[in-house]
Amino acid sequence: MQRSRRDFLKLAGVSALGLSAGTLGFLGEGAQAADALPSAADFAKPAKAKQWGMVIDTAKFDDALFKKCIDACHDNHNVPKIEGKQEIKWIWTEDFEGSFPTERPAFLAEAQEHRKYLLLCNHCANPACTRVCPTKATFKNDEGLVIMDYHRCIGCRYCMAGCPYGARSFNFRDPGEFIAKDKLNLQYPHRTRGVVEKCTFCVEKLAQGKLPLCVEASGGAMVFGDLEDPKSEVRKVLKEKYAIRRKPDAGTDPSVFYIL
Amino acid sequence: MYNGKYIIPGLIIFLALVLFPFIKGAGLGPLKVETEKPKNSKECVLKTEKMRDVHMVLLNEWRDDVIRNGKRVYTNESGKQFNMSLTNTCMGCHENKDKFCDKCHVEVGVNPYCWNCHNTSPLKKEGEK
Ligand code: SF4
Ligand code: SF4
């Protein structure tokens, strides 16, 4: 993990240049992704872990960085843009009360009170969503990722009722109509009407030994690694900084930590 | 035979209906469908005949391997490795769904819903023909 992180930082510098060049030309993230197709060789060195986890340094975020991280995810994963109650979101923001409703601090410090928090699926160690899925469409894999087999999802939405964090969205309509054609990432499928979708911790990137897209886009404000490995980057950060999780009393053991 | 005058003609009509497709197809050669061959690749994941028979099974196995077992590389009989991906591997070579997949699917009247989610080509914009 340590080595790959160092490599990542080097890479991040170079790709930041590439990114800024891309945005000059009005290219979305999706359009930039349309280069060489991933081949078998790209999956030769997957990143491995027992339980992937994430630490989010909330003080480092502003609106621009939120947008950058959210766009990196949503554009690359073909997440449709729908307003209102039928919104589909893999990663989104919320205020303190919405993010940590069980904290209930009296006289909360202003900085924390006015801050927004980046939310996504917690890839819980003890997820509620997978226990209620009648078809095992959603399940926890051996790297601690909670992922979906959309082919098996019958759209019953039990998982959405089960998740205490609102991390799942249902496709009430055909999502294809709500993805801008010029933004479509052709190398990644979109979903269909009648299935539930959510963040995957970029399982397809980890399989290529890369970091999740939001973590890459955050420029260091998010740290990613194996929570079960005491030498991992996330564990190092957690050793030094006090971090909280969303609704710990729900008993799902979330894997996303927030430094306030 | 009791009620034979109804039963025998009934049986004949029934057999005629059931056997009609076989009688009509007798003497015709095997079904031939012309599909567009990939321009930039000669070798498929499996041999053509095998692929014709089991591509749907292979895709199901790929899906389970990728999603459930985290296995993403497929090695075929001749040792060549492939990324197990309908969108990026299959459609990367067969870039025109309407000139390849649809040809047979339409001919035999099956309507798989792969493309409700999987893009019809990883290389160009959807909607382009
Ligand atoms: S946050 Fe919700 S959807 Fe994600 S693993 Fe936990 S219970 Fe499941
Ligand atoms: S909506 Fe899909 S993933 Fe969720 S519980 Fe039902 S079948 Fe499982």
Side-chain angles (χ1 to χ4, degrees):
Chain A
M1 200 54 224
Q2 199 181 4
R3 196 182 63 86
S4 65
R5 176 155 177 84
R6 194 177 301 138
D7 287 350
F8 154 66
L9 285 173
K10 282 189 215 149
L11 248 177
V14 181
S15 47
L17 278 176
L19 270 181
S20 47
T23 31
L24 283 180
F26 304 107
L27 288 173
E29 298 270 336
Q32 286 160 26
D35 39 24
L37 297 181
S39 70
D42 292 314
F43 297 96
K45 284 207 192 79
K48 291 271 173 204
K50 287 214 182 72
Q51 172 63 60
W52 286 115
M54 187 184 275
V55 184
I56 300 178
D57 196 338
T58 60
K60 289 196 179 142
F61 278 89
D62 55 21
D63 285 347
L65 192 55
F66 281 139
K67 184 170 175 348
K68 197 171 160 220
C69 294
I70 293 171
D71 285 351
C73 171
H74 285 188
D75 288 352
N76 270 282
H77 294 126
N78 295 328
V79 177
K81 283 198 173 31
I82 302 175
E83 304 277 329
K85 280 188 175 167
Q86 301 188 352
E87 183 189 10
I88 309 276
K89 51 193 184 358
W90 285 26
I91 177 166
W92 72 105
T93 60
E94 198 98 48
D95 59 10
F96 188 92
E97 178 62 30
S99 307
F100 307 102
T102 53
E103 288 294 316
R104 297 205 179 82
F107 315 114
L108 177 63
E110 279 199 357
Q112 279 73 7
E113 188 182 354
H114 298 307
R115 199 173 282 165
K116 289 246 185 248
Y117 299 87
L118 196 60
L119 309 183
L120 67 164
C121 167
N122 291 291
H123 293 268
C124 306
N126 183 22
C129 55
T130 60
R131 297 174 61 153
V132 294
C133 177
T135 63
K136 289 246 184 330
T138 188
F139 63 101
K140 196 162 174 66
N141 79 0
D142 55 6
E143 308 222 2
L145 303 175
V146 174
I147 51 178
M148 293 269 311
D149 180 349
Y150 302 109
H151 308 87
R152 276 186 86 116
C153 178
I154 55 171
C156 64
R157 298 190 275 153
Y158 282 14
C159 55
M160 292 176 68
C163 172
Y165 307 97
R168 291 172 169 267
S169 312
F170 182 67
N171 284 287
F172 285 94
R173 309 191 235 173
D174 177 14
E177 292 164 23
F178 298 90
I179 307 166
K181 283 281 169 282
D182 56 329
K183 278 275 181 92
L184 190 70
N185 175 5
L186 292 166
Q187 297 178 14
Y188 197 84
H190 47 83
R191 272 62 58 193
T192 184
R193 186 167 67 96
V195 303
V196 164
E197 61 179 87
K198 70 164 193 76
C199 152
T200 65
F201 261 3
C202 288
V203 56
E204 80 284 2
K205 298 286 169 207
L206 297 173
Q208 300 178 40
K210 296 180 186 164
L211 285 170
L213 292 159
C214 57
V215 178
E216 279 213 33
S218 75
M222 295 158 96
V223 179
F224 193 78
D226 187 356
L227 287 173
E228 301 269 310
D229 173 9
K231 290 200 281 294
S232 72
E233 204 67 26
V234 272
R235 287 287 296 273
K236 268 189 215 151
V237 175
L238 290 175
K239 211 175 278 176
E240 284 163 17
K241 296 262 174 69
Y242 176 70
I244 62 169
R245 295 184 284 178
R246 299 181 67 202
K247 298 189 186 172
D249 41 350
T252 60
D253 206 352
S255 307
V256 177
F257 292 76
Y258 294 85
I259 299 171
L260 301 186
Chain B
M1 188 192 281
Y2 182 67
N3 267 351
K5 65 176 190 269
Y6 298 116
I7 292 173
I8 291 167
L11 268 179
I12 291 171
I13 291 171
F14 172 74
L15 282 177
L17 280 178
V18 166
L19 296 177
F20 172 71
F22 298 95
I23 295 163
K24 183 162 184 272
L28 294 180
L31 181 66
K32 276 228 161 51
V33 180
E34 277 308 317
T35 51
E36 184 188 66
K37 302 291 175 287
K39 292 174 199 83
N40 46 11
S41 177
K42 283 254 168 307
E43 194 188 348
C44 194
V45 176
L46 297 177
K47 295 216 174 60
T48 309
E49 297 72 37
K50 197 142 186 225
M51 208 53 171
R52 208 173 277 154
D53 288 346
V54 301
H55 62 281
M56 56 304 249
V57 181
L58 185 82
L59 285 172
N60 271 353
E61 285 170 0
W62 279 16
R63 174 198 61 203
D64 290 346
D65 265 344
V66 168
I67 304 176
R68 303 274 161 178
N69 310 329
K71 189 172 163 266
R72 287 177 182 258
V73 176
Y74 179 83
T75 312
N76 73 4
E77 277 174 3
S78 57
K80 197 162 182 244
Q81 295 198 315
F82 296 89
N83 168 20
M84 298 199 240
S85 164
L86 169 62
T87 302
N88 290 329
T89 301
C90 306
M91 305 312 288
C93 280
H94 301 287
E95 36 188 279
N96 289 310
K97 166 181 171 273
D98 44 341
K99 292 192 187 134
F100 187 77
C101 316
D102 285 354
K103 284 274 162 128
C104 289
H105 292 161
V106 168
E107 188 68 38
V108 301
V110 293
N111 189 16
Y113 43 79
C114 311
W115 297 278
N116 285 5
C117 297
H118 293 271
N119 299 311
T120 52
S121 166
L123 292 171
K124 59 181 178 188
K125 300 291 170 211
E126 270 203 4
E128 277 178 19
K129 286 266 153 107

